Amino acid sequence: MTAQTLKTMTHSLDAWLWRRGIGHPVIRPLVRNELLLTALFLLGGGAAFSATPWFFWFGVGLGIMTLTFWSLARFFLRAGLGEYSTAFLRVVLLRWGGRLLLLGGLLYWALIVCKAPVTAILGGLTAGAATALITFAVASRDSGRRSRRTEHFIGGKASGIRAARPLKTRFSLYPHRRLAHGRWFAASGIAFHIYGHGRDHHRRTGD
């Protein structure tokens, strides 16, 4: 039941990301796993906050990394690599500056105002980066395998495709039938030849 629920949630989240322009087969799993992991720790840590706030702040660190990857994915997947220009790079720098100010504000609020454990925030940041790297490696490998399988299939070298065997008829399975069949055709040909020769002779005689 839990596996089915997780699978349904994953498909729904993939569709949600696709509608928001994150459709790359390698980037989409990366952002999706970051979102799932962040939601897990924020919800679980919020439920157990009175007992131990460490897991909640761990989720906050994860959320900071998730926000970073989300912003990068949405921004860079909007245009192709060939469409970048000086004006575009200027916009990138401005957006990066604003994003760094936002992240700095979140870290100040968590560490100074709320007295969050430093180890929890750093652990969440590290876990977010590690999750992104692992997901990227796995998704890239799966995407490469699918590409090679497609090329193999198009080239006629797909694994599992065997050369077709020649169709065996009843005459190849039973040689005596094949011989009898050949004799019947030969006799029929001789009979038709004799009949045609006799008919021609009769016509010439009658004329």
Short mmCIF file of all heavy atoms in Angstrom, two decimals, residues 7-20 22-23 28-33 36:
data_model
loop_
_atom_site.label_atom_id
_atom_site.label_comp_id
_atom_site.label_asym_id
_atom_site.label_seq_id
_atom_site.Cartn_x
_atom_site.Cartn_y
_atom_site.Cartn_z
N LYS A 7 4.27 5.59 -5.42
CA LYS A 7 4.31 5.58 -6.89
C LYS A 7 3.32 6.58 -7.47
O LYS A 7 3.63 7.34 -8.40
CB LYS A 7 4.02 4.18 -7.40
CG LYS A 7 4.18 4.03 -8.90
CD LYS A 7 3.95 2.58 -9.32
CE LYS A 7 4.12 2.42 -10.83
NZ LYS A 7 3.91 0.99 -11.24
N THR A 8 2.10 6.61 -6.90
CA THR A 8 1.09 7.56 -7.36
C THR A 8 1.53 8.99 -7.10
O THR A 8 1.38 9.88 -7.96
CB THR A 8 -0.24 7.28 -6.66
OG1 THR A 8 -0.64 5.92 -6.89
CG2 THR A 8 -1.33 8.22 -7.18
N MET A 9 2.12 9.22 -5.93
CA MET A 9 2.60 10.55 -5.59
C MET A 9 3.73 10.99 -6.54
O MET A 9 3.79 12.15 -6.97
CB MET A 9 3.10 10.58 -4.14
CG MET A 9 3.46 11.95 -3.61
SD MET A 9 4.16 11.86 -1.94
CE MET A 9 2.83 10.99 -1.09
N THR A 10 4.60 10.04 -6.87
CA THR A 10 5.71 10.35 -7.78
C THR A 10 5.20 10.74 -9.16
O THR A 10 5.66 11.71 -9.76
CB THR A 10 6.66 9.15 -7.87
OG1 THR A 10 7.17 8.85 -6.57
CG2 THR A 10 7.80 9.43 -8.82
N HIS A 11 4.23 9.96 -9.68
CA HIS A 11 3.68 10.27 -11.00
C HIS A 11 2.97 11.62 -10.99
O HIS A 11 3.08 12.40 -11.94
CB HIS A 11 2.71 9.17 -11.43
CG HIS A 11 3.39 7.88 -11.79
ND1 HIS A 11 4.64 7.84 -12.38
CD2 HIS A 11 3.01 6.58 -11.64
CE1 HIS A 11 4.99 6.59 -12.60
NE2 HIS A 11 4.02 5.80 -12.14
N SER A 12 2.22 11.90 -9.92
CA SER A 12 1.52 13.18 -9.84
C SER A 12 2.50 14.34 -9.77
O SER A 12 2.30 15.39 -10.42
CB SER A 12 0.60 13.19 -8.61
OG SER A 12 -0.35 12.15 -8.66
N LEU A 13 3.57 14.17 -9.01
CA LEU A 13 4.58 15.22 -8.90
C LEU A 13 5.32 15.42 -10.22
O LEU A 13 5.64 16.56 -10.60
CB LEU A 13 5.56 14.89 -7.78
CG LEU A 13 6.54 15.99 -7.34
CD1 LEU A 13 5.79 17.26 -6.98
CD2 LEU A 13 7.38 15.52 -6.17
N ASP A 14 5.60 14.33 -10.94
CA ASP A 14 6.23 14.44 -12.25
C ASP A 14 5.35 15.23 -13.22
O ASP A 14 5.83 16.08 -13.99
CB ASP A 14 6.52 13.06 -12.82
CG ASP A 14 7.77 12.44 -12.20
OD1 ASP A 14 8.57 13.19 -11.62
OD2 ASP A 14 7.94 11.21 -12.29
N ALA A 15 4.05 14.93 -13.20
CA ALA A 15 3.13 15.66 -14.08
C ALA A 15 3.06 17.14 -13.69
O ALA A 15 2.99 18.02 -14.56
CB ALA A 15 1.74 15.03 -14.00
N TRP A 16 3.09 17.41 -12.40
CA TRP A 16 3.06 18.80 -11.92
C TRP A 16 4.31 19.57 -12.36
O TRP A 16 4.23 20.72 -12.80
CB TRP A 16 2.94 18.80 -10.41
CG TRP A 16 2.79 20.16 -9.80
CD1 TRP A 16 1.67 20.94 -9.75
CD2 TRP A 16 3.82 20.90 -9.13
NE1 TRP A 16 1.94 22.12 -9.11
CE2 TRP A 16 3.24 22.13 -8.70
CE3 TRP A 16 5.16 20.66 -8.84
CZ2 TRP A 16 3.96 23.09 -8.02
CZ3 TRP A 16 5.88 21.62 -8.16
CH2 TRP A 16 5.29 22.82 -7.75
N LEU A 17 5.46 18.92 -12.27
CA LEU A 17 6.69 19.56 -12.72
C LEU A 17 6.71 19.75 -14.23
O LEU A 17 7.21 20.76 -14.73
CB LEU A 17 7.90 18.71 -12.28
CG LEU A 17 8.20 18.66 -10.78
CD1 LEU A 17 9.28 17.63 -10.49
CD2 LEU A 17 8.63 20.02 -10.28
N TRP A 18 6.17 18.78 -14.95
CA TRP A 18 6.12 18.89 -16.42
C TRP A 18 5.30 20.10 -16.83
O TRP A 18 5.66 20.81 -17.77
CB TRP A 18 5.54 17.61 -16.99
CG TRP A 18 5.53 17.58 -18.50
CD1 TRP A 18 4.60 18.15 -19.32
CD2 TRP A 18 6.51 16.98 -19.35
NE1 TRP A 18 4.92 17.93 -20.64
CE2 TRP A 18 6.09 17.22 -20.69
CE3 TRP A 18 7.68 16.25 -19.13
CZ2 TRP A 18 6.80 16.76 -21.79
CZ3 TRP A 18 8.38 15.80 -20.23
CH2 TRP A 18 7.95 16.05 -21.53
N ARG A 19 4.17 20.31 -16.16
CA ARG A 19 3.32 21.45 -16.51
C ARG A 19 4.00 22.78 -16.22
O ARG A 19 3.61 23.81 -16.78
CB ARG A 19 2.00 21.36 -15.76
CG ARG A 19 1.09 20.24 -16.23
CD ARG A 19 -0.32 20.41 -15.68
NE ARG A 19 -0.34 20.36 -14.23
CZ ARG A 19 -0.51 19.25 -13.51
NH1 ARG A 19 -0.68 18.09 -14.14
NH2 ARG A 19 -0.53 19.27 -12.20
N ARG A 20 5.00 22.77 -15.35
CA ARG A 20 5.70 24.01 -15.01
C ARG A 20 7.02 24.16 -15.76
O ARG A 20 7.89 24.94 -15.35
CB ARG A 20 5.92 24.07 -13.51
CG ARG A 20 4.68 24.58 -12.80
CD ARG A 20 4.52 24.04 -11.41
NE ARG A 20 3.25 24.50 -10.85
CZ ARG A 20 2.07 23.93 -11.14
NH1 ARG A 20 2.02 22.90 -11.96
NH2 ARG A 20 0.95 24.40 -10.61
N ILE A 22 9.45 21.89 -16.34
CA ILE A 22 10.60 21.05 -15.97
C ILE A 22 10.33 19.65 -16.54
O ILE A 22 9.81 18.77 -15.86
CB ILE A 22 10.80 21.01 -14.44
CG1 ILE A 22 10.95 22.43 -13.90
CG2 ILE A 22 12.04 20.19 -14.08
CD1 ILE A 22 11.08 22.50 -12.40
N GLY A 23 10.67 19.48 -17.80
CA GLY A 23 10.39 18.22 -18.47
C GLY A 23 11.62 17.45 -18.88
O GLY A 23 11.50 16.41 -19.53
N ARG A 28 14.17 16.52 -14.13
CA ARG A 28 12.88 16.34 -13.45
C ARG A 28 12.98 15.37 -12.26
O ARG A 28 12.46 15.67 -11.18
CB ARG A 28 11.82 15.89 -14.44
CG ARG A 28 10.41 15.89 -13.84
CD ARG A 28 9.36 15.55 -14.87
NE ARG A 28 9.45 14.18 -15.33
CZ ARG A 28 9.86 13.80 -16.53
NH1 ARG A 28 10.21 14.70 -17.41
NH2 ARG A 28 9.92 12.53 -16.88
N PRO A 29 13.61 14.19 -12.40
CA PRO A 29 13.75 13.33 -11.22
C PRO A 29 14.55 13.98 -10.10
O PRO A 29 14.29 13.74 -8.92
CB PRO A 29 14.47 12.08 -11.76
CG PRO A 29 14.19 12.09 -13.21
CD PRO A 29 14.11 13.52 -13.62
N LEU A 30 15.53 14.80 -10.46
CA LEU A 30 16.35 15.48 -9.45
C LEU A 30 15.49 16.41 -8.59
O LEU A 30 15.51 16.34 -7.35
CB LEU A 30 17.47 16.26 -10.15
CG LEU A 30 18.57 16.89 -9.30
CD1 LEU A 30 19.85 17.00 -10.12
CD2 LEU A 30 18.18 18.29 -8.81
N VAL A 31 14.73 17.27 -9.25
CA VAL A 31 13.87 18.21 -8.51
C VAL A 31 12.78 17.47 -7.76
O VAL A 31 12.43 17.81 -6.62
CB VAL A 31 13.27 19.25 -9.48
CG1 VAL A 31 12.37 20.23 -8.74
CG2 VAL A 31 14.38 20.02 -10.19
N ARG A 32 12.23 16.42 -8.36
CA ARG A 32 11.18 15.65 -7.69
C ARG A 32 11.67 14.99 -6.40
O ARG A 32 11.00 15.05 -5.37
CB ARG A 32 10.65 14.60 -8.65
CG ARG A 32 9.58 13.70 -8.03
CD ARG A 32 10.00 12.25 -8.15
NE ARG A 32 10.15 11.87 -9.53
CZ ARG A 32 10.93 10.84 -9.92
NH1 ARG A 32 11.64 10.17 -9.03
NH2 ARG A 32 11.04 10.52 -11.19
N ASN A 33 12.84 14.38 -6.44
CA ASN A 33 13.37 13.74 -5.23
C ASN A 33 13.70 14.77 -4.15
O ASN A 33 13.52 14.51 -2.96
CB ASN A 33 14.61 12.92 -5.58
CG ASN A 33 14.28 11.68 -6.39
OD1 ASN A 33 13.11 11.28 -6.48
ND2 ASN A 33 15.28 11.07 -6.99
N LEU A 36 10.33 15.70 -2.58
CA LEU A 36 9.81 14.63 -1.73
C LEU A 36 10.57 14.53 -0.41
O LEU A 36 9.97 14.40 0.67
CB LEU A 36 9.87 13.29 -2.48
CG LEU A 36 8.87 13.09 -3.61
CD1 LEU A 36 9.14 11.77 -4.32
CD2 LEU A 36 7.44 13.11 -3.07
#
